[in-house]
């Protein structure tokens, strides 16, 4: 399988959050993901894997769980996930599945931000970093702006035409 596939769980989490923008910033032995939309709630951060045990869990919580499992599979030095409205943000810090803490956070902003560091064992392979071409191929009809390393993955015209193709025409509506 494709080890970078887990990145797409985070894109799906962003879409399920109503995001209009998803940013991926790969580093040498780290990466940062950031998206707007409805922030994750404290309850979601307190039990990020809980949706895996609930038959009727919302899609967003399922993608959060899958995304966190993917991050933990990478065996990071540390992963932090910050979300919540300004003035009410929380930070989930995890080193593995058994070592997590949740605390209030004073980071400014409204975006949900995942920072993963200490990926030294993956240094040669960069398994966490999907290429811009792969993101464009798999997310051509994504209803949000995809940014990788500061560059738009889908040019605006292509994104608009893919989205128009994916939506039913107004004439076909009842």
């Amino acid at each position: 399988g494709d080890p970078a596939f887990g990145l797409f769980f985070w894109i799906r989490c962003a879409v399920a959050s109503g995001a209009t923008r998803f940013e991926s910033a790969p580093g040498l032995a780290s990466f940062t993901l950031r998206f707007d939309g409805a922030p994750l709630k404290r309850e979601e951060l307190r039990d990020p894997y809980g949706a895996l045990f609930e038959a009727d869990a919302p899609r967003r919580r399922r993608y959060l769980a899958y995304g966190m499992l993917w991050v933990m599979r990478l065996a990071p030095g540390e992963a932090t996930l910050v979300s919540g409205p300004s003035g009410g943000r929380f930070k989930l810090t995890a080193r593995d599945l058994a070592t997590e803490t949740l605390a209030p956070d004073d980071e400014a902003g409204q975006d949900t931000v995942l920072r993963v560091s200490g990926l030294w064992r993956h240094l040669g392979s960069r398994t966490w970093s999907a290429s811009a071409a792969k993101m464009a191929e798999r997310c051509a009809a994504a209803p949000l702006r995809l940014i990788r390393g500061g560059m738009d993955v889908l040019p605006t015209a292509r994104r608009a035409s893919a989205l128009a193709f994916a939506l039913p025409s107004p004439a076909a509506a009842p």
Side-chain angles (χ1 to χ4, degrees):
D2 179 359
F5 184 75
L7 176 68
F8 299 103
F9 293 132
W10 288 103
I11 293 172
R12 289 179 179 135
C13 184
V15 170
S17 297
T20 61
R21 174 185 41 78
F22 179 92
E23 297 178 46
S24 165
L28 181 62
S30 64
F31 64 87
T32 300
L33 306 178
R34 173 184 304 269
F35 58 89
D36 62 355
L40 297 166
K41 297 175 184 162
R42 180 176 187 243
E43 297 76 32
E44 293 171 302
L45 295 173
R46 183 177 34 231
D47 186 13
Y49 312 105
L52 299 175
F53 306 100
E54 299 171 19
D56 60 347
R59 287 180 320 148
R60 174 168 103 152
R61 288 193 52 225
R62 285 198 182 279
Y63 291 130
L64 167 64
Y66 297 147
M68 285 299 295
L69 284 174
W70 170 70
V71 166
M72 292 298 105
R73 185 170 177 244
L74 294 174
E78 181 174 87
T80 62
L81 180 60
V82 177
S83 195
S86 188
R89 293 172 68 75
F90 285 89
K91 176 168 50 176
L92 173 67
T93 303
R95 288 178 173 67
D96 55 47
L97 289 171
T99 312
E100 296 175 354
T101 59
L102 181 65
D105 191 78
D106 58 1
E107 181 176 325
Q110 301 272 347
D111 287 354
T112 296
V113 182
L114 173 69
R115 293 182 183 92
V116 180
S117 61
L119 297 171
W120 299 108
R121 74 183 186 110
H122 300 284
L123 195 57
S125 64
R126 296 184 51 125
T127 58
W128 64 90
S129 178
S131 70
K134 190 178 292 187
M135 288 176 76
E137 174 188 327
R138 291 193 180 165
C139 301
L144 72 169
R145 184 174 170 211
L146 290 172
I147 301 164
R148 183 184 183 280
M151 303 290 288
D152 256 321
V153 171
L154 298 172
T156 305
R158 180 175 172 199
R159 187 172 60 248
S161 67
L163 184 57
F165 177 76
L167 297 174
S169 78

mmCIF file of all heavy atoms in Angstrom, residues 96-118:
data_model
loop_
_atom_site.group_PDB
_atom_site.id
_atom_site.type_symbol
_atom_site.label_atom_id
_atom_site.label_comp_id
_atom_site.label_asym_id
_atom_site.label_seq_id
_atom_site.Cartn_x
_atom_site.Cartn_y
_atom_site.Cartn_z
ATOM 1 N N ASP A 96 2.456 8.177 21.286
ATOM 2 C CA ASP A 96 2.039 6.843 20.843
ATOM 3 C C ASP A 96 0.593 6.665 21.289
ATOM 4 O O ASP A 96 0.003 7.567 21.881
ATOM 5 C CB ASP A 96 2.962 5.742 21.386
ATOM 6 C CG ASP A 96 3.093 5.776 22.897
ATOM 7 O OD1 ASP A 96 2.061 5.878 23.596
ATOM 8 O OD2 ASP A 96 4.234 5.715 23.387
ATOM 9 N N LEU A 97 0.024 5.498 21.022
ATOM 10 C CA LEU A 97 -1.385 5.271 21.359
ATOM 11 C C LEU A 97 -1.657 5.300 22.858
ATOM 12 O O LEU A 97 -2.782 5.539 23.280
ATOM 13 C CB LEU A 97 -1.855 3.936 20.775
ATOM 14 C CG LEU A 97 -2.015 3.912 19.257
ATOM 15 C CD1 LEU A 97 -2.265 2.483 18.777
ATOM 16 C CD2 LEU A 97 -3.144 4.821 18.817
ATOM 17 N N ALA A 98 -0.649 5.080 23.683
ATOM 18 C CA ALA A 98 -0.835 5.035 25.131
ATOM 19 C C ALA A 98 -0.438 6.329 25.835
ATOM 20 O O ALA A 98 -0.655 6.465 27.030
ATOM 21 C CB ALA A 98 -0.050 3.862 25.717
ATOM 22 N N THR A 99 0.164 7.250 25.109
ATOM 23 C CA THR A 99 0.678 8.470 25.735
ATOM 24 C C THR A 99 0.052 9.695 25.084
ATOM 25 O O THR A 99 0.546 10.187 24.068
ATOM 26 C CB THR A 99 2.219 8.546 25.599
ATOM 27 O OG1 THR A 99 2.777 7.297 25.993
ATOM 28 C CG2 THR A 99 2.788 9.654 26.456
ATOM 29 N N GLU A 100 -1.054 10.158 25.666
ATOM 30 C CA GLU A 100 -1.766 11.330 25.145
ATOM 31 C C GLU A 100 -2.111 12.262 26.290
ATOM 32 O O GLU A 100 -2.411 11.801 27.392
ATOM 33 C CB GLU A 100 -3.084 10.915 24.482
ATOM 34 C CG GLU A 100 -2.953 10.050 23.286
ATOM 35 C CD GLU A 100 -4.321 9.603 22.770
ATOM 36 O OE1 GLU A 100 -5.341 9.883 23.411
ATOM 37 O OE2 GLU A 100 -4.344 8.954 21.722
ATOM 38 N N THR A 101 -2.073 13.559 26.001
ATOM 39 C CA THR A 101 -2.555 14.553 26.961
ATOM 40 C C THR A 101 -3.404 15.561 26.205
ATOM 41 O O THR A 101 -3.161 15.838 25.033
ATOM 42 C CB THR A 101 -1.394 15.293 27.666
ATOM 43 O OG1 THR A 101 -0.581 15.936 26.684
ATOM 44 C CG2 THR A 101 -0.537 14.352 28.488
ATOM 45 N N LEU A 102 -4.396 16.094 26.888
ATOM 46 C CA LEU A 102 -5.256 17.131 26.324
ATOM 47 C C LEU A 102 -5.227 18.303 27.281
ATOM 48 O O LEU A 102 -5.452 18.129 28.483
ATOM 49 C CB LEU A 102 -6.684 16.610 26.145
ATOM 50 C CG LEU A 102 -7.676 17.593 25.530
ATOM 51 C CD1 LEU A 102 -7.285 17.938 24.089
ATOM 52 C CD2 LEU A 102 -9.090 17.021 25.568
ATOM 53 N N ALA A 103 -4.943 19.485 26.764
ATOM 54 C CA ALA A 103 -4.835 20.672 27.605
ATOM 55 C C ALA A 103 -5.327 21.889 26.837
ATOM 56 O O ALA A 103 -5.288 21.910 25.604
ATOM 57 C CB ALA A 103 -3.381 20.875 28.029
ATOM 58 N N PRO A 104 -5.780 22.911 27.564
ATOM 59 C CA PRO A 104 -6.130 24.170 26.891
ATOM 60 C C PRO A 104 -4.904 24.716 26.171
ATOM 61 O O PRO A 104 -3.770 24.465 26.574
ATOM 62 C CB PRO A 104 -6.544 25.094 28.039
ATOM 63 C CG PRO A 104 -6.901 24.177 29.164
ATOM 64 C CD PRO A 104 -6.018 22.968 28.998
ATOM 65 N N ASP A 105 -5.140 25.451 25.089
ATOM 66 C CA ASP A 105 -4.033 25.999 24.303
ATOM 67 C C ASP A 105 -4.350 27.435 23.946
ATOM 68 O O ASP A 105 -5.491 27.771 23.625
ATOM 69 C CB ASP A 105 -3.826 25.170 23.029
ATOM 70 C CG ASP A 105 -2.538 25.518 22.333
ATOM 71 O OD1 ASP A 105 -1.479 25.060 22.796
ATOM 72 O OD2 ASP A 105 -2.586 26.266 21.343
ATOM 73 N N ASP A 106 -3.344 28.278 23.967
ATOM 74 C CA ASP A 106 -3.556 29.700 23.673
ATOM 75 C C ASP A 106 -3.089 30.100 22.281
ATOM 76 O O ASP A 106 -2.937 31.279 21.984
ATOM 77 C CB ASP A 106 -2.899 30.575 24.733
ATOM 78 C CG ASP A 106 -1.396 30.330 24.857
ATOM 79 O OD1 ASP A 106 -0.853 29.494 24.106
ATOM 80 O OD2 ASP A 106 -0.772 30.974 25.714
ATOM 81 N N GLU A 107 -2.885 29.120 21.396
ATOM 82 C CA GLU A 107 -2.500 29.434 20.019
ATOM 83 C C GLU A 107 -3.611 30.255 19.368
ATOM 84 O O GLU A 107 -4.784 29.894 19.434
ATOM 85 C CB GLU A 107 -2.258 28.154 19.227
ATOM 86 C CG GLU A 107 -1.830 28.407 17.793
ATOM 87 C CD GLU A 107 -1.490 27.122 17.046
ATOM 88 O OE1 GLU A 107 -0.953 26.182 17.665
ATOM 89 O OE2 GLU A 107 -1.761 27.071 15.841
ATOM 90 N N ALA A 108 -3.244 31.342 18.757
ATOM 91 C CA ALA A 108 -4.226 32.203 18.091
ATOM 92 C C ALA A 108 -4.750 31.529 16.826
ATOM 93 O O ALA A 108 -4.078 30.681 16.242
ATOM 94 C CB ALA A 108 -3.581 33.549 17.736
ATOM 95 N N GLY A 109 -5.934 31.911 16.427
ATOM 96 C CA GLY A 109 -6.479 31.435 15.172
ATOM 97 C C GLY A 109 -7.671 30.522 15.366
ATOM 98 O O GLY A 109 -8.071 30.209 16.480
ATOM 99 N N GLN A 110 -8.233 30.098 14.237
ATOM 100 C CA GLN A 110 -9.402 29.221 14.220
ATOM 101 C C GLN A 110 -9.112 27.899 13.529
ATOM 102 O O GLN A 110 -9.903 26.967 13.635
ATOM 103 C CB GLN A 110 -10.551 29.920 13.461
ATOM 104 C CG GLN A 110 -10.976 31.239 14.038
ATOM 105 C CD GLN A 110 -12.043 31.088 15.117
ATOM 106 O OE1 GLN A 110 -12.631 30.036 15.273
ATOM 107 N NE2 GLN A 110 -12.269 32.144 15.854
ATOM 108 N N ASP A 111 -8.007 27.807 12.802
ATOM 109 C CA ASP A 111 -7.692 26.603 12.036
ATOM 110 C C ASP A 111 -7.412 25.412 12.946
ATOM 111 O O ASP A 111 -6.945 25.561 14.073
ATOM 112 C CB ASP A 111 -6.464 26.812 11.160
ATOM 113 C CG ASP A 111 -6.721 27.711 9.966
ATOM 114 O OD1 ASP A 111 -7.877 28.092 9.740
ATOM 115 O OD2 ASP A 111 -5.748 28.023 9.260
ATOM 116 N N THR A 112 -7.667 24.228 12.421
ATOM 117 C CA THR A 112 -7.218 22.989 13.046
ATOM 118 C C THR A 112 -5.813 22.740 12.508
ATOM 119 O O THR A 112 -5.588 22.803 11.298
ATOM 120 C CB THR A 112 -8.167 21.832 12.683
ATOM 121 O OG1 THR A 112 -9.455 22.121 13.244
ATOM 122 C CG2 THR A 112 -7.655 20.506 13.202
ATOM 123 N N VAL A 113 -4.860 22.488 13.409
ATOM 124 C CA VAL A 113 -3.457 22.358 13.019
ATOM 125 C C VAL A 113 -2.867 21.076 13.608
ATOM 126 O O VAL A 113 -2.900 20.879 14.824
ATOM 127 C CB VAL A 113 -2.627 23.570 13.500
ATOM 128 C CG1 VAL A 113 -1.180 23.445 13.040
ATOM 129 C CG2 VAL A 113 -3.242 24.879 13.036
ATOM 130 N N LEU A 114 -2.338 20.229 12.740
ATOM 131 C CA LEU A 114 -1.633 19.014 13.151
ATOM 132 C C LEU A 114 -0.156 19.215 12.855
ATOM 133 O O LEU A 114 0.217 19.519 11.723
ATOM 134 C CB LEU A 114 -2.160 17.793 12.378
ATOM 135 C CG LEU A 114 -1.387 16.492 12.588
ATOM 136 C CD1 LEU A 114 -1.589 15.948 14.007
ATOM 137 C CD2 LEU A 114 -1.784 15.459 11.543
ATOM 138 N N ARG A 115 0.677 19.032 13.883
ATOM 139 C CA ARG A 115 2.129 19.102 13.712
ATOM 140 C C ARG A 115 2.719 17.766 14.148
ATOM 141 O O ARG A 115 2.469 17.314 15.268
ATOM 142 C CB ARG A 115 2.720 20.228 14.555
ATOM 143 C CG ARG A 115 2.309 21.602 14.109
ATOM 144 C CD ARG A 115 2.972 22.689 14.980
ATOM 145 N NE ARG A 115 2.508 24.001 14.584
ATOM 146 C CZ ARG A 115 1.461 24.629 15.124
ATOM 147 N NH1 ARG A 115 0.774 24.052 16.086
ATOM 148 N NH2 ARG A 115 1.106 25.817 14.693
ATOM 149 N N VAL A 116 3.484 17.162 13.256
ATOM 150 C CA VAL A 116 4.102 15.872 13.550
ATOM 151 C C VAL A 116 5.606 16.034 13.363
ATOM 152 O O VAL A 116 6.061 16.500 12.314
ATOM 153 C CB VAL A 116 3.541 14.766 12.625
ATOM 154 C CG1 VAL A 116 4.196 13.427 12.935
ATOM 155 C CG2 VAL A 116 2.022 14.674 12.763
ATOM 156 N N SER A 117 6.367 15.656 14.403
ATOM 157 C CA SER A 117 7.827 15.817 14.335
ATOM 158 C C SER A 117 8.515 14.532 14.779
ATOM 159 O O SER A 117 7.880 13.620 15.306
ATOM 160 C CB SER A 117 8.256 16.984 15.232
ATOM 161 O OG SER A 117 7.894 16.710 16.582
ATOM 162 N N GLY A 118 9.810 14.501 14.560
ATOM 163 C CA GLY A 118 10.617 13.360 14.981
ATOM 164 C C GLY A 118 10.446 12.129 14.121
ATOM 165 O O GLY A 118 10.512 11.005 14.606
#
